[in-house]
Amino acid sequence: THHPYQDDDAVAAVEKFIEDEKPDYIIYNGDMNDFYQVSEFSKDPSRLGQLQSDIDITIDMFHRHARLVPDAQLFFIDGTHESRWIKYLQDKAPAVSQLRGISISNLYNLPEEGIHHVGFERGILVNGTFLILHGDIVSKHSSATARQHYEKHGGSGMCNHTHRLGSFYKRDRFGTYGC
């Protein structure tokens, strides 16, 4: 969602889907916030004081989803934008980088929300065969990105780091795999 730059129509459509289908699982696959204020890019000074309100947008979304599907299991996988926060702390504020209150888990109130936190590039292995992770590989062609994820991790899976659809399939004597 890259809050506060989310597409409100897309978020509304997803929430309508959640309300209608009542999934057993919701996996937030990283980059829930943009973390613009701590990025290495040039910044608009008027946005610098907005980090907490940006994070609050995400927390409000978690509340809405928990109300829509109170029995669902919720998972949050760190993405590259959450890594911006960690990198910023390590590079700019190493003395405070290990304080509990500033972890991604605490910033988003994940324990209080009942959301399981999964570290960056650890991912979730579904049924022992399908890996869901944020990813950190980008290629010029989306199918090449998918192939590189297959080559890095093996097996079938999905990532959403590139923000575009691409696929790669591999068949061998042990089965067919897709990323």
Side-chain angles (χ1 to χ4, degrees):
T1 54
H2 294 89
H3 290 127
Y5 306 112
Q6 73 277 5
D7 179 330
D8 289 330
D9 291 337
V11 172
V14 167
E15 290 178 352
K16 177 73 171 128
F17 175 85
I18 291 170
E19 182 177 29
D20 291 347
E21 298 301 321
K22 304 282 190 227
D24 294 325
Y25 302 92
I26 294 178
I27 299 172
Y28 302 102
N29 202 358
D31 291 359
M32 300 311 295
N33 278 84
D34 189 73
F35 285 97
Y36 169 84
Q37 295 85 348
V38 297
S39 73
E40 294 180 5
F41 303 104
S42 297
K43 295 167 197 62
D44 175 355
S46 69
R47 292 276 316 131
L48 292 178
Q50 301 298 316
L51 183 57
Q52 185 61 59
S53 62
D54 293 353
I55 291 169
D56 289 344
I57 295 169
T58 302
I59 294 169
D60 290 344
M61 184 187 71
F62 291 155
H63 287 306
R64 291 192 309 272
H65 296 178
R67 283 193 305 271
L68 290 171
V69 284
D71 297 326
Q73 290 188 49
L74 308 175
F75 295 87
F76 180 90
I77 301 171
D78 286 342
T80 51
H81 287 250
E82 284 78 25
S83 292
R84 282 181 179 177
W85 175 246
I86 303 305
K87 183 176 178 0
Y88 176 83
L89 291 172
Q90 291 171 345
D91 293 352
K92 309 285 187 198
V96 299
S97 66
Q98 297 303 312
L99 292 174
R100 284 186 298 274
I102 59 175
S103 70
I104 291 296
S105 186
N106 286 330
L107 283 179
Y108 289 135
N109 298 325
L110 297 180
E112 294 84 2
E113 298 295 329
I115 300 174
H116 306 281
H117 185 217
V118 180
F120 182 70
E121 283 302 287
R122 184 165 166 244
I124 297 172
L125 191 60
V126 178
N127 293 330
T129 61
F130 190 85
L131 180 64
I132 300 172
L133 63 125
H134 181 77
D136 62 350
I137 298 170
V138 177
S139 294
K140 180 177 172 182
H141 304 286
S142 58
S143 60
T145 300
R147 179 182 182 151
Q148 289 178 22
H149 273 282
Y150 168 80
E151 291 170 349
K152 181 177 180 179
H153 300 286
S156 294
M158 65 169 281
C159 69
N160 61 305
H161 174 61
T162 61
H163 304 223
R164 56 198 168 111
L165 184 61
S167 59
F168 171 78
Y169 295 93
K170 169 82 172 170
R171 190 171 111 154
D172 61 23
R173 65 182 177 169
F174 301 108
T176 301
Y177 306 95
C179 287

